Short mmCIF file of all heavy atoms in Angstrom, two decimals:
data_model
loop_
_atom_site.label_atom_id
_atom_site.label_comp_id
_atom_site.label_asym_id
_atom_site.label_seq_id
_atom_site.Cartn_x
_atom_site.Cartn_y
_atom_site.Cartn_z
N GLU A 44 36.37 -7.28 -19.48
CA GLU A 44 35.80 -6.03 -19.98
C GLU A 44 36.10 -4.90 -19.00
O GLU A 44 35.95 -5.06 -17.79
CB GLU A 44 34.29 -6.16 -20.17
CG GLU A 44 33.90 -7.22 -21.19
CD GLU A 44 32.40 -7.36 -21.33
OE1 GLU A 44 31.67 -6.53 -20.72
OE2 GLU A 44 31.94 -8.29 -22.02
N ALA A 45 36.51 -3.75 -19.53
CA ALA A 45 36.88 -2.61 -18.70
C ALA A 45 35.71 -2.15 -17.82
O ALA A 45 35.90 -1.76 -16.66
CB ALA A 45 37.36 -1.45 -19.57
N SER A 46 34.50 -2.23 -18.35
CA SER A 46 33.33 -1.76 -17.59
C SER A 46 33.10 -2.61 -16.34
O SER A 46 32.74 -2.10 -15.28
CB SER A 46 32.08 -1.80 -18.48
OG SER A 46 31.84 -3.10 -18.98
N ARG A 47 33.32 -3.93 -16.47
CA ARG A 47 33.14 -4.81 -15.31
C ARG A 47 34.21 -4.53 -14.25
O ARG A 47 33.92 -4.50 -13.05
CB ARG A 47 33.21 -6.28 -15.74
CG ARG A 47 32.01 -6.76 -16.56
CD ARG A 47 32.10 -8.26 -16.79
NE ARG A 47 31.04 -8.75 -17.63
CZ ARG A 47 29.83 -9.12 -17.18
NH1 ARG A 47 29.55 -9.01 -15.90
NH2 ARG A 47 28.92 -9.58 -18.02
N VAL A 48 35.44 -4.36 -14.70
CA VAL A 48 36.52 -4.07 -13.75
C VAL A 48 36.25 -2.76 -13.02
O VAL A 48 36.43 -2.65 -11.80
CB VAL A 48 37.88 -4.02 -14.48
CG1 VAL A 48 38.99 -3.63 -13.52
CG2 VAL A 48 38.19 -5.37 -15.12
N TRP A 49 35.82 -1.75 -13.76
CA TRP A 49 35.56 -0.44 -13.15
C TRP A 49 34.42 -0.52 -12.13
O TRP A 49 34.46 0.12 -11.09
CB TRP A 49 35.23 0.58 -14.24
CG TRP A 49 35.00 1.96 -13.71
CD1 TRP A 49 33.81 2.63 -13.58
CD2 TRP A 49 36.00 2.85 -13.19
NE1 TRP A 49 34.00 3.87 -13.04
CE2 TRP A 49 35.34 4.05 -12.79
CE3 TRP A 49 37.39 2.77 -13.05
CZ2 TRP A 49 36.03 5.13 -12.25
CZ3 TRP A 49 38.06 3.85 -12.51
CH2 TRP A 49 37.39 5.01 -12.11
N ALA A 50 33.42 -1.36 -12.43
CA ALA A 50 32.27 -1.49 -11.52
C ALA A 50 32.65 -2.15 -10.21
O ALA A 50 31.94 -1.99 -9.20
CB ALA A 50 31.16 -2.28 -12.21
N THR A 51 33.75 -2.87 -10.17
CA THR A 51 34.17 -3.58 -8.95
C THR A 51 35.55 -3.14 -8.49
O THR A 51 36.25 -3.89 -7.83
CB THR A 51 34.18 -5.10 -9.22
OG1 THR A 51 35.07 -5.37 -10.31
CG2 THR A 51 32.80 -5.62 -9.56
N LYS A 52 35.92 -1.89 -8.82
CA LYS A 52 37.30 -1.45 -8.56
C LYS A 52 37.67 -1.48 -7.09
O LYS A 52 38.83 -1.70 -6.73
CB LYS A 52 37.52 -0.05 -9.13
CG LYS A 52 36.59 1.03 -8.58
CD LYS A 52 36.84 2.35 -9.30
CE LYS A 52 35.97 3.47 -8.74
NZ LYS A 52 34.52 3.21 -8.93
N LYS A 53 36.70 -1.28 -6.19
CA LYS A 53 37.05 -1.25 -4.77
C LYS A 53 37.44 -2.63 -4.24
O LYS A 53 38.07 -2.75 -3.18
CB LYS A 53 35.89 -0.67 -3.95
CG LYS A 53 34.70 -1.59 -3.79
CD LYS A 53 33.71 -0.98 -2.81
CE LYS A 53 32.55 -1.91 -2.52
NZ LYS A 53 31.62 -1.37 -1.51
N TYR A 54 37.06 -3.69 -4.98
CA TYR A 54 37.40 -5.05 -4.55
C TYR A 54 38.73 -5.53 -5.13
O TYR A 54 39.21 -6.61 -4.76
CB TYR A 54 36.30 -6.03 -4.96
CG TYR A 54 34.93 -5.69 -4.43
CD1 TYR A 54 33.90 -5.36 -5.30
CD2 TYR A 54 34.66 -5.69 -3.07
CE1 TYR A 54 32.63 -5.05 -4.83
CE2 TYR A 54 33.41 -5.37 -2.58
CZ TYR A 54 32.39 -5.04 -3.47
OH TYR A 54 31.15 -4.73 -2.99
N LEU A 55 39.30 -4.79 -6.07
CA LEU A 55 40.48 -5.28 -6.80
C LEU A 55 41.65 -5.63 -5.88
O LEU A 55 42.26 -6.70 -6.05
CB LEU A 55 40.91 -4.26 -7.85
CG LEU A 55 39.94 -4.05 -9.02
CD1 LEU A 55 40.54 -3.09 -10.05
CD2 LEU A 55 39.59 -5.37 -9.69
N PRO A 56 42.02 -4.78 -4.90
CA PRO A 56 43.14 -5.16 -4.02
C PRO A 56 42.90 -6.49 -3.29
O PRO A 56 43.81 -7.32 -3.17
CB PRO A 56 43.24 -3.99 -3.03
CG PRO A 56 42.65 -2.83 -3.75
CD PRO A 56 41.54 -3.42 -4.58
N SER A 57 41.67 -6.70 -2.82
CA SER A 57 41.36 -7.94 -2.11
C SER A 57 41.42 -9.14 -3.06
O SER A 57 41.89 -10.22 -2.67
CB SER A 57 39.95 -7.85 -1.49
OG SER A 57 39.88 -6.80 -0.55
N ILE A 58 40.94 -8.96 -4.28
CA ILE A 58 40.98 -10.05 -5.25
C ILE A 58 42.42 -10.44 -5.56
O ILE A 58 42.78 -11.62 -5.58
CB ILE A 58 40.24 -9.65 -6.54
CG1 ILE A 58 38.75 -9.43 -6.26
CG2 ILE A 58 40.40 -10.73 -7.60
CD1 ILE A 58 37.99 -8.83 -7.43
N LEU A 59 43.26 -9.43 -5.80
CA LEU A 59 44.66 -9.70 -6.12
C LEU A 59 45.39 -10.33 -4.94
O LEU A 59 46.18 -11.27 -5.10
CB LEU A 59 45.36 -8.41 -6.55
CG LEU A 59 44.81 -7.78 -7.85
CD1 LEU A 59 45.50 -6.46 -8.14
CD2 LEU A 59 44.97 -8.73 -9.03
N LEU A 60 45.11 -9.82 -3.72
CA LEU A 60 45.72 -10.41 -2.53
C LEU A 60 45.25 -11.84 -2.33
O LEU A 60 46.05 -12.74 -2.01
CB LEU A 60 45.38 -9.56 -1.30
CG LEU A 60 45.94 -10.05 0.05
CD1 LEU A 60 47.47 -10.10 0.01
CD2 LEU A 60 45.45 -9.17 1.19
N GLY A 61 43.96 -12.07 -2.52
CA GLY A 61 43.43 -13.43 -2.38
C GLY A 61 44.03 -14.39 -3.38
O GLY A 61 44.33 -15.54 -3.05
N THR A 62 44.24 -13.91 -4.61
CA THR A 62 44.89 -14.74 -5.63
C THR A 62 46.31 -15.10 -5.21
O THR A 62 46.76 -16.24 -5.38
CB THR A 62 44.91 -14.01 -6.99
OG1 THR A 62 43.55 -13.74 -7.38
CG2 THR A 62 45.58 -14.86 -8.05
N GLY A 63 47.03 -14.11 -4.64
CA GLY A 63 48.38 -14.37 -4.15
C GLY A 63 48.39 -15.42 -3.04
O GLY A 63 49.27 -16.29 -3.01
N VAL A 64 47.41 -15.35 -2.14
CA VAL A 64 47.32 -16.34 -1.06
C VAL A 64 47.04 -17.73 -1.63
O VAL A 64 47.61 -18.74 -1.18
CB VAL A 64 46.21 -15.94 -0.06
CG1 VAL A 64 45.96 -17.06 0.96
CG2 VAL A 64 46.59 -14.66 0.67
N LEU A 65 46.17 -17.80 -2.64
CA LEU A 65 45.88 -19.09 -3.28
C LEU A 65 47.12 -19.70 -3.92
O LEU A 65 47.39 -20.89 -3.79
CB LEU A 65 44.80 -18.90 -4.34
CG LEU A 65 43.34 -19.04 -3.90
CD1 LEU A 65 42.41 -18.70 -5.06
CD2 LEU A 65 43.05 -20.43 -3.39
N ILE A 66 47.89 -18.85 -4.62
CA ILE A 66 49.11 -19.35 -5.26
C ILE A 66 50.11 -19.83 -4.21
O ILE A 66 50.73 -20.89 -4.36
CB ILE A 66 49.73 -18.24 -6.15
CG1 ILE A 66 48.81 -17.94 -7.33
CG2 ILE A 66 51.11 -18.67 -6.66
CD1 ILE A 66 49.24 -16.75 -8.15
N GLY A 67 50.25 -19.05 -3.11
CA GLY A 67 51.15 -19.47 -2.04
C GLY A 67 50.71 -20.78 -1.40
O GLY A 67 51.55 -21.65 -1.11
N SER A 68 49.40 -20.94 -1.20
CA SER A 68 48.88 -22.19 -0.63
C SER A 68 49.15 -23.37 -1.56
O SER A 68 49.48 -24.47 -1.11
CB SER A 68 47.37 -22.06 -0.37
OG SER A 68 47.09 -20.98 0.49
N SER A 69 49.02 -23.13 -2.85
CA SER A 69 49.29 -24.19 -3.82
C SER A 69 50.76 -24.60 -3.80
O SER A 69 51.08 -25.78 -3.94
CB SER A 69 48.90 -23.71 -5.23
OG SER A 69 47.53 -23.37 -5.29
N TYR A 70 51.62 -23.62 -3.61
CA TYR A 70 53.06 -23.93 -3.54
C TYR A 70 53.36 -24.79 -2.31
O TYR A 70 54.15 -25.75 -2.39
CB TYR A 70 53.87 -22.64 -3.49
CG TYR A 70 55.35 -22.86 -3.38
CD1 TYR A 70 56.10 -23.23 -4.50
CD2 TYR A 70 56.01 -22.72 -2.16
CE1 TYR A 70 57.47 -23.46 -4.39
CE2 TYR A 70 57.38 -22.94 -2.05
CZ TYR A 70 58.10 -23.30 -3.17
OH TYR A 70 59.45 -23.52 -3.07
N VAL A 71 52.74 -24.47 -1.19
CA VAL A 71 52.94 -25.26 0.04
C VAL A 71 52.49 -26.71 -0.19
O VAL A 71 53.19 -27.66 0.19
CB VAL A 71 52.17 -24.63 1.22
CG1 VAL A 71 52.19 -25.56 2.44
CG2 VAL A 71 52.79 -23.28 1.60
N MET A 72 51.33 -26.88 -0.82
CA MET A 72 50.84 -28.23 -1.07
C MET A 72 51.69 -28.95 -2.12
O MET A 72 51.84 -30.17 -2.07
CB MET A 72 49.37 -28.19 -1.52
CG MET A 72 48.42 -27.70 -0.45
SD MET A 72 48.56 -28.59 1.12
CE MET A 72 47.91 -30.19 0.66
N ALA A 73 52.27 -28.19 -3.04
CA ALA A 73 53.18 -28.80 -4.02
C ALA A 73 54.43 -29.35 -3.34
O ALA A 73 54.94 -30.41 -3.70
CB ALA A 73 53.56 -27.77 -5.09
N LEU A 74 54.92 -28.62 -2.33
CA LEU A 74 56.06 -29.12 -1.54
C LEU A 74 55.70 -30.43 -0.85
O LEU A 74 56.51 -31.36 -0.80
CB LEU A 74 56.47 -28.08 -0.50
CG LEU A 74 57.28 -26.89 -1.00
CD1 LEU A 74 57.47 -25.88 0.15
CD2 LEU A 74 58.65 -27.34 -1.51
N PHE A 75 54.48 -30.49 -0.32
CA PHE A 75 54.00 -31.72 0.32
C PHE A 75 54.00 -32.87 -0.68
O PHE A 75 54.48 -33.98 -0.39
CB PHE A 75 52.59 -31.48 0.87
CG PHE A 75 51.83 -32.72 1.23
CD1 PHE A 75 52.07 -33.38 2.43
CD2 PHE A 75 50.87 -33.25 0.37
CE1 PHE A 75 51.38 -34.54 2.76
CE2 PHE A 75 50.17 -34.40 0.69
CZ PHE A 75 50.42 -35.05 1.89
N LEU A 76 53.49 -32.61 -1.87
CA LEU A 76 53.43 -33.64 -2.91
C LEU A 76 54.84 -34.07 -3.32
O LEU A 76 55.11 -35.26 -3.55
CB LEU A 76 52.67 -33.10 -4.12
CG LEU A 76 52.32 -34.07 -5.25
CD1 LEU A 76 51.41 -35.18 -4.73
CD2 LEU A 76 51.63 -33.33 -6.39
N HIS A 77 55.74 -33.11 -3.41
CA HIS A 77 57.12 -33.40 -3.78
C HIS A 77 57.81 -34.28 -2.73
O HIS A 77 58.53 -35.22 -3.06
CB HIS A 77 57.87 -32.08 -3.95
CG HIS A 77 59.34 -32.24 -4.21
ND1 HIS A 77 59.84 -32.79 -5.37
CD2 HIS A 77 60.42 -31.92 -3.43
CE1 HIS A 77 61.16 -32.79 -5.32
NE2 HIS A 77 61.54 -32.28 -4.16
N ARG A 78 57.58 -33.95 -1.46
CA ARG A 78 58.24 -34.71 -0.38
C ARG A 78 57.65 -36.12 -0.23
O ARG A 78 58.38 -37.08 0.01
CB ARG A 78 58.07 -33.95 0.95
CG ARG A 78 58.73 -32.58 0.95
CD ARG A 78 60.22 -32.66 1.24
NE ARG A 78 60.85 -31.35 1.14
CZ ARG A 78 60.86 -30.45 2.11
NH1 ARG A 78 60.22 -30.70 3.24
NH2 ARG A 78 61.47 -29.30 1.94
N ILE A 79 56.34 -36.25 -0.38
CA ILE A 79 55.69 -37.54 -0.13
C ILE A 79 55.86 -38.51 -1.31
O ILE A 79 56.20 -39.68 -1.13
CB ILE A 79 54.19 -37.35 0.17
CG1 ILE A 79 54.00 -36.50 1.43
CG2 ILE A 79 53.50 -38.71 0.34
CD1 ILE A 79 54.56 -37.11 2.69
N TYR A 80 55.66 -38.01 -2.53
CA TYR A 80 55.64 -38.89 -3.70
C TYR A 80 56.83 -38.69 -4.62
O TYR A 80 56.97 -39.41 -5.62
CB TYR A 80 54.35 -38.68 -4.49
CG TYR A 80 53.12 -39.13 -3.75
CD1 TYR A 80 52.28 -38.21 -3.14
CD2 TYR A 80 52.81 -40.49 -3.65
CE1 TYR A 80 51.13 -38.62 -2.45
CE2 TYR A 80 51.68 -40.91 -2.97
CZ TYR A 80 50.85 -39.97 -2.37
OH TYR A 80 49.74 -40.38 -1.69
#
């Protein structure tokens, strides 16, 4: 909902950056899974 996003707009850069870090961490662990199994 647009109203919820607007109410938390100052946190949006941190949320997007945190999501990027999570995706990168998942990729690193996927490499581990690929190499081991």
Side-chain angles (χ1 to χ4, degrees):
E44 298 178 8
S46 58
R47 290 187 184 274
V48 176
W49 182 254
T51 58
K52 58 184 182 298
K53 74 172 185 177
Y54 303 116
L55 293 184
S57 299
I58 296 171
L59 296 176
L60 179 61
T62 300
V64 172
L65 271 175
I66 293 172
S68 302
S69 301
Y70 179 77
V71 171
M72 294 307 291
L74 283 174
F75 165 80
L76 188 62
H77 175 67
R78 298 278 175 83
I79 299 297
Y80 293 102

